[in-house]
Amino acid sequence: MLTDAPPRNSNRAGFLESDRIKTLDLPQDGRLASITESIELAMKAGVSKDVRRVCAEFLEVVSEFYKVPACGIGVLAARPLRVRENWSTELFGDYTPETKLVRVWMRTAVRKEVTSFGTFLSTLCHEFCHHLDFQRFGFSDSWHTRGFYERAAALYHCARGTPPKKLFWLPTWGGRWRIDWPRTNRTVDRPIEISDG
Ligand SMILES: [Zn+2]
């Protein structure tokens, strides 16, 4: 994961704000985790219209939770030729703000391999976070900032019922950051120890 470079124009303030917001309120009622299980089952069966139906349910629940307008969903069997997002960052989905449409695909373009469930769910959360950027945060664009990736990861772990992971970042060129995976994966989440003296 690599962040976008900060824009130099008037969008810069929005970009920095997106970079700063590293947390997201998360639904705690367990509803997401059960829908996530249905997505996994539907993916195993491999029928895209069933996958689409449960993904639509997932997006409905999260849109309602964040009080944003609903977004559409398209589940494609394979990656289309034209995608909105950058090839290097978005292999598995895209989002169009004008139509509020999330698209995810079940197969990769190059080798036609079935996308793993983890990647698929993470893509769904990622694309929904683009929707949130416009509809909840009111940004003029939806950049891949550190904050964006943190928010998408928080939603993913909530949906999957896995403990959130602290992400570590390394600076690269042009004001961009990439995740330090060895450090991120090495860090085991420990319960907070409460000492009362
Ligand atoms: Zn994206």
Side-chain angles (χ1 to χ4, degrees), residues 145-167:
T145 59
R146 285 174 298 178
F148 177 87
Y149 285 120
E150 305 258 1
R151 299 191 293 277
L155 183 60
Y156 169 82
H157 285 293
C158 171
R160 220 167 171 189
T162 46
K165 222 175 217 181
K166 176 164 174 47
L167 303 179

mmCIF file of all heavy atoms in Angstrom, residues 145-167:
data_model
loop_
_atom_site.group_PDB
_atom_site.id
_atom_site.type_symbol
_atom_site.label_atom_id
_atom_site.label_comp_id
_atom_site.label_asym_id
_atom_site.label_seq_id
_atom_site.Cartn_x
_atom_site.Cartn_y
_atom_site.Cartn_z
ATOM 1 N N THR A 145 -4.650 8.352 1.485
ATOM 2 C CA THR A 145 -3.749 8.891 2.502
ATOM 3 C C THR A 145 -3.516 7.805 3.559
ATOM 4 O O THR A 145 -4.180 6.767 3.543
ATOM 5 C CB THR A 145 -4.385 10.110 3.189
ATOM 6 O OG1 THR A 145 -5.618 9.680 3.791
ATOM 7 C CG2 THR A 145 -4.679 11.224 2.188
ATOM 8 N N ARG A 146 -2.622 8.080 4.483
ATOM 9 C CA ARG A 146 -2.440 7.130 5.587
ATOM 10 C C ARG A 146 -3.747 6.979 6.356
ATOM 11 O O ARG A 146 -4.153 5.882 6.706
ATOM 12 C CB ARG A 146 -1.331 7.614 6.533
ATOM 13 C CG ARG A 146 0.055 7.410 5.965
ATOM 14 C CD ARG A 146 1.100 8.029 6.862
ATOM 15 N NE ARG A 146 0.896 9.484 6.970
ATOM 16 C CZ ARG A 146 1.625 10.288 7.720
ATOM 17 N NH1 ARG A 146 2.604 9.793 8.452
ATOM 18 N NH2 ARG A 146 1.399 11.584 7.737
ATOM 19 N N GLY A 147 -4.415 8.090 6.589
ATOM 20 C CA GLY A 147 -5.690 8.046 7.302
ATOM 21 C C GLY A 147 -6.706 7.193 6.563
ATOM 22 O O GLY A 147 -7.438 6.405 7.169
ATOM 23 N N PHE A 148 -6.745 7.353 5.236
ATOM 24 C CA PHE A 148 -7.688 6.567 4.436
ATOM 25 C C PHE A 148 -7.452 5.077 4.649
ATOM 26 O O PHE A 148 -8.382 4.308 4.909
ATOM 27 C CB PHE A 148 -7.547 6.915 2.942
ATOM 28 C CG PHE A 148 -8.438 6.076 2.066
ATOM 29 C CD1 PHE A 148 -9.748 6.461 1.823
ATOM 30 C CD2 PHE A 148 -7.982 4.885 1.528
ATOM 31 C CE1 PHE A 148 -10.599 5.669 1.048
ATOM 32 C CE2 PHE A 148 -8.816 4.086 0.755
ATOM 33 C CZ PHE A 148 -10.117 4.486 0.509
ATOM 34 N N TYR A 149 -6.201 4.653 4.539
ATOM 35 C CA TYR A 149 -5.889 3.227 4.703
ATOM 36 C C TYR A 149 -6.189 2.753 6.126
ATOM 37 O O TYR A 149 -6.624 1.616 6.330
ATOM 38 C CB TYR A 149 -4.429 2.943 4.354
ATOM 39 C CG TYR A 149 -4.138 2.952 2.865
ATOM 40 C CD1 TYR A 149 -3.221 3.834 2.312
ATOM 41 C CD2 TYR A 149 -4.775 2.052 2.009
ATOM 42 C CE1 TYR A 149 -2.945 3.837 0.952
ATOM 43 C CE2 TYR A 149 -4.513 2.042 0.645
ATOM 44 C CZ TYR A 149 -3.593 2.938 0.117
ATOM 45 O OH TYR A 149 -3.339 2.923 -1.227
ATOM 46 N N GLU A 150 -5.966 3.622 7.101
ATOM 47 C CA GLU A 150 -6.266 3.246 8.492
ATOM 48 C C GLU A 150 -7.779 3.059 8.671
ATOM 49 O O GLU A 150 -8.222 2.131 9.335
ATOM 50 C CB GLU A 150 -5.773 4.331 9.465
ATOM 51 C CG GLU A 150 -4.309 4.673 9.324
ATOM 52 C CD GLU A 150 -3.408 4.059 10.399
ATOM 53 O OE1 GLU A 150 -3.934 3.336 11.261
ATOM 54 O OE2 GLU A 150 -2.187 4.308 10.335
ATOM 55 N N ARG A 151 -8.559 3.962 8.073
ATOM 56 C CA ARG A 151 -10.019 3.860 8.202
ATOM 57 C C ARG A 151 -10.519 2.592 7.511
ATOM 58 O O ARG A 151 -11.365 1.866 8.034
ATOM 59 C CB ARG A 151 -10.701 5.091 7.604
ATOM 60 C CG ARG A 151 -10.324 6.400 8.289
ATOM 61 C CD ARG A 151 -11.204 7.563 7.873
ATOM 62 N NE ARG A 151 -11.081 8.008 6.493
ATOM 63 C CZ ARG A 151 -10.154 8.847 6.042
ATOM 64 N NH1 ARG A 151 -9.238 9.331 6.858
ATOM 65 N NH2 ARG A 151 -10.124 9.221 4.766
ATOM 66 N N ALA A 152 -9.983 2.330 6.315
ATOM 67 C CA ALA A 152 -10.406 1.137 5.573
ATOM 68 C C ALA A 152 -10.022 -0.127 6.345
ATOM 69 O O ALA A 152 -10.796 -1.096 6.398
ATOM 70 C CB ALA A 152 -9.785 1.134 4.180
ATOM 71 N N ALA A 153 -8.842 -0.113 6.972
ATOM 72 C CA ALA A 153 -8.399 -1.286 7.730
ATOM 73 C C ALA A 153 -9.273 -1.487 8.970
ATOM 74 O O ALA A 153 -9.619 -2.616 9.328
ATOM 75 C CB ALA A 153 -6.935 -1.143 8.134
ATOM 76 N N ALA A 154 -9.656 -0.378 9.611
ATOM 77 C CA ALA A 154 -10.510 -0.483 10.805
ATOM 78 C C ALA A 154 -11.847 -1.121 10.438
ATOM 79 O O ALA A 154 -12.347 -2.021 11.132
ATOM 80 C CB ALA A 154 -10.731 0.899 11.420
ATOM 81 N N LEU A 155 -12.412 -0.689 9.317
ATOM 82 C CA LEU A 155 -13.691 -1.247 8.875
ATOM 83 C C LEU A 155 -13.534 -2.730 8.516
ATOM 84 O O LEU A 155 -14.375 -3.565 8.860
ATOM 85 C CB LEU A 155 -14.222 -0.449 7.671
ATOM 86 C CG LEU A 155 -15.584 -0.873 7.133
ATOM 87 C CD1 LEU A 155 -16.672 -0.750 8.202
ATOM 88 C CD2 LEU A 155 -15.967 -0.052 5.898
ATOM 89 N N TYR A 156 -12.441 -3.042 7.844
ATOM 90 C CA TYR A 156 -12.176 -4.431 7.453
ATOM 91 C C TYR A 156 -12.096 -5.339 8.682
ATOM 92 O O TYR A 156 -12.732 -6.396 8.721
ATOM 93 C CB TYR A 156 -10.879 -4.502 6.644
ATOM 94 C CG TYR A 156 -10.381 -5.913 6.426
ATOM 95 C CD1 TYR A 156 -10.917 -6.712 5.404
ATOM 96 C CD2 TYR A 156 -9.395 -6.462 7.246
ATOM 97 C CE1 TYR A 156 -10.470 -8.005 5.211
ATOM 98 C CE2 TYR A 156 -8.944 -7.768 7.061
ATOM 99 C CZ TYR A 156 -9.482 -8.536 6.044
ATOM 100 O OH TYR A 156 -9.039 -9.830 5.866
ATOM 101 N N HIS A 157 -11.335 -4.935 9.677
ATOM 102 C CA HIS A 157 -11.178 -5.788 10.854
ATOM 103 C C HIS A 157 -12.485 -5.911 11.624
ATOM 104 O O HIS A 157 -12.786 -6.973 12.170
ATOM 105 C CB HIS A 157 -10.048 -5.275 11.754
ATOM 106 C CG HIS A 157 -8.700 -5.591 11.181
ATOM 107 N ND1 HIS A 157 -8.235 -6.876 11.073
ATOM 108 C CD2 HIS A 157 -7.739 -4.814 10.637
ATOM 109 C CE1 HIS A 157 -7.033 -6.875 10.512
ATOM 110 N NE2 HIS A 157 -6.717 -5.630 10.223
ATOM 111 N N CYS A 158 -13.262 -4.840 11.635
ATOM 112 C CA CYS A 158 -14.573 -4.907 12.284
ATOM 113 C C CYS A 158 -15.460 -5.904 11.545
ATOM 114 O O CYS A 158 -16.121 -6.749 12.150
ATOM 115 C CB CYS A 158 -15.199 -3.520 12.301
ATOM 116 S SG CYS A 158 -16.911 -3.509 12.823
ATOM 117 N N ALA A 159 -15.457 -5.831 10.208
ATOM 118 C CA ALA A 159 -16.298 -6.710 9.393
ATOM 119 C C ALA A 159 -15.871 -8.166 9.529
ATOM 120 O O ALA A 159 -16.691 -9.074 9.503
ATOM 121 C CB ALA A 159 -16.240 -6.285 7.927
ATOM 122 N N ARG A 160 -14.579 -8.360 9.685
ATOM 123 C CA ARG A 160 -14.071 -9.723 9.761
ATOM 124 C C ARG A 160 -14.038 -10.263 11.180
ATOM 125 O O ARG A 160 -13.802 -11.448 11.404
ATOM 126 C CB ARG A 160 -12.667 -9.749 9.174
ATOM 127 C CG ARG A 160 -12.540 -11.010 8.378
ATOM 128 C CD ARG A 160 -11.438 -11.194 7.488
ATOM 129 N NE ARG A 160 -11.546 -12.592 7.074
ATOM 130 C CZ ARG A 160 -10.637 -13.226 6.389
ATOM 131 N NH1 ARG A 160 -9.555 -12.605 6.006
ATOM 132 N NH2 ARG A 160 -10.808 -14.495 6.049
ATOM 133 N N GLY A 161 -14.246 -9.375 12.140
ATOM 134 C CA GLY A 161 -14.186 -9.803 13.529
ATOM 135 C C GLY A 161 -12.781 -10.120 13.989
ATOM 136 O O GLY A 161 -12.571 -10.946 14.873
ATOM 137 N N THR A 162 -11.789 -9.496 13.365
ATOM 138 C CA THR A 162 -10.395 -9.710 13.767
ATOM 139 C C THR A 162 -9.885 -8.469 14.493
ATOM 140 O O THR A 162 -10.397 -7.371 14.265
ATOM 141 C CB THR A 162 -9.504 -9.988 12.532
ATOM 142 O OG1 THR A 162 -9.808 -9.025 11.512
ATOM 143 C CG2 THR A 162 -9.748 -11.373 11.968
ATOM 144 N N PRO A 163 -8.910 -8.638 15.371
ATOM 145 C CA PRO A 163 -8.419 -7.466 16.106
ATOM 146 C C PRO A 163 -7.731 -6.479 15.180
ATOM 147 O O PRO A 163 -7.030 -6.887 14.248
ATOM 148 C CB PRO A 163 -7.413 -8.044 17.109
ATOM 149 C CG PRO A 163 -7.081 -9.403 16.611
ATOM 150 C CD PRO A 163 -8.216 -9.866 15.764
ATOM 151 N N PRO A 164 -7.956 -5.185 15.393
ATOM 152 C CA PRO A 164 -7.307 -4.193 14.528
ATOM 153 C C PRO A 164 -5.796 -4.249 14.694
ATOM 154 O O PRO A 164 -5.290 -4.588 15.758
ATOM 155 C CB PRO A 164 -7.859 -2.864 15.041
ATOM 156 C CG PRO A 164 -8.442 -3.147 16.374
ATOM 157 C CD PRO A 164 -8.773 -4.594 16.435
ATOM 158 N N LYS A 165 -5.116 -3.946 13.619
ATOM 159 C CA LYS A 165 -3.665 -4.001 13.617
ATOM 160 C C LYS A 165 -3.139 -2.582 13.569
ATOM 161 O O LYS A 165 -3.678 -1.748 12.845
ATOM 162 C CB LYS A 165 -3.264 -4.679 12.308
ATOM 163 C CG LYS A 165 -2.154 -5.674 12.436
ATOM 164 C CD LYS A 165 -1.944 -6.348 11.096
ATOM 165 C CE LYS A 165 -1.612 -7.811 11.320
ATOM 166 N NZ LYS A 165 -1.369 -8.516 10.079
ATOM 167 N N LYS A 166 -2.097 -2.320 14.316
ATOM 168 C CA LYS A 166 -1.500 -0.996 14.203
ATOM 169 C C LYS A 166 -0.651 -0.966 12.937
ATOM 170 O O LYS A 166 0.159 -1.851 12.701
ATOM 171 C CB LYS A 166 -0.646 -0.712 15.439
ATOM 172 C CG LYS A 166 0.072 0.608 15.329
ATOM 173 C CD LYS A 166 0.599 1.091 16.668
ATOM 174 C CE LYS A 166 1.436 2.355 16.504
ATOM 175 N NZ LYS A 166 0.796 3.389 15.653
ATOM 176 N N LEU A 167 -0.874 0.047 12.116
ATOM 177 C CA LEU A 167 -0.103 0.152 10.876
ATOM 178 C C LEU A 167 1.110 1.046 11.095
ATOM 179 O O LEU A 167 1.005 2.109 11.687
ATOM 180 C CB LEU A 167 -0.968 0.742 9.749
ATOM 181 C CG LEU A 167 -2.260 0.000 9.410
ATOM 182 C CD1 LEU A 167 -3.007 0.712 8.289
ATOM 183 C CD2 LEU A 167 -1.977 -1.436 9.004
#
